[in-house]
Amino acid sequence: MDFKGIWENIKEKVSPLIEKVRDFYEENKMLSLIIAGLVALLLLCIILLIALAGKKKETPVVPGTVLELTETLVIPDGPELPKDYTASRTPKERWSEEEAQKWFTVPSQKEIDSLSKANDNLINEITGAAP
């Protein structure tokens, strides 16, 4: 590696920047001093932040906050399912007449009217907000 060549390359690229900073300082001395002070203050704040973040405070252990078990934990049994309960089933394409008679109940006129009224209320609520 050619350190002298690298140094010359860096110097070549940085010298116009330094020249611009000097020109700015000559034209605006007060503004340059304010900017330099703010940059110094920012660097000081960063150094303080790093110094304070590096210190770790150990929190004291409060008596009674550590859980000490006297016996081993036991997982309780889950709820028991009824004898004829089926968790899943394979659906059939069609029900037989016996199954349909067993599970299907014909709704009464009162239930039909109640469902109709609930549907009408829902429709009125939806269309009532429409312009």
Side-chain angles (χ1 to χ4, degrees):
M1 291 187 151
D2 184 21
F3 290 112
K4 193 170 188 176
I6 294 173
W7 178 252
E8 290 298 323
N9 191 10
I10 291 173
K11 205 190 264 188
E12 182 182 309
K13 293 187 181 195
V14 172
S15 62
L17 180 64
I18 292 173
E19 196 61 38
K20 286 181 183 178
V21 170
R22 269 193 202 136
D23 290 343
F24 182 77
Y25 175 72
E26 290 297 324
E27 293 174 10
N28 306 312
K29 287 187 179 188
M30 187 59 121
L31 183 61
S32 299
L33 291 176
I34 292 172
I35 291 173
L38 289 175
V39 168
L41 182 66
L42 182 67
L43 288 174
L44 181 67
C45 288
I46 291 172
I47 290 171
L48 285 174
L49 183 66
I50 291 172
L52 292 177
K55 296 178 183 177
K56 293 183 180 178
K57 295 181 181 178
E58 292 185 22
T59 56
V61 177
V62 178
T65 58
V66 178
L67 179 64
E68 295 177 11
L69 299 177
T70 56
E71 297 179 7
T72 58
L73 291 176
V74 178
I75 299 172
D77 294 332
E80 303 234 355
L81 298 176
K83 194 173 202 177
D84 295 334
Y85 187 82
T86 306
S88 64
R89 67 179 182 89
T90 53
K92 297 178 184 177
E93 191 68 32
R94 286 185 64 116
W95 284 13
S96 67
E97 277 298 317
E98 293 173 358
E99 290 175 324
Q101 291 299 324
K102 179 179 178 183
W103 297 110
F104 182 72
T105 23
V106 178
S108 66
Q109 188 60 38
K110 181 180 176 184
E111 292 168 335
I112 293 173
D113 292 340
S114 173
L115 181 62
S116 175
K117 184 177 178 184
N119 286 339
D120 289 340
N121 288 339
L122 186 61
I123 290 169
N124 288 336
E125 184 179 322
I126 291 172
T127 58

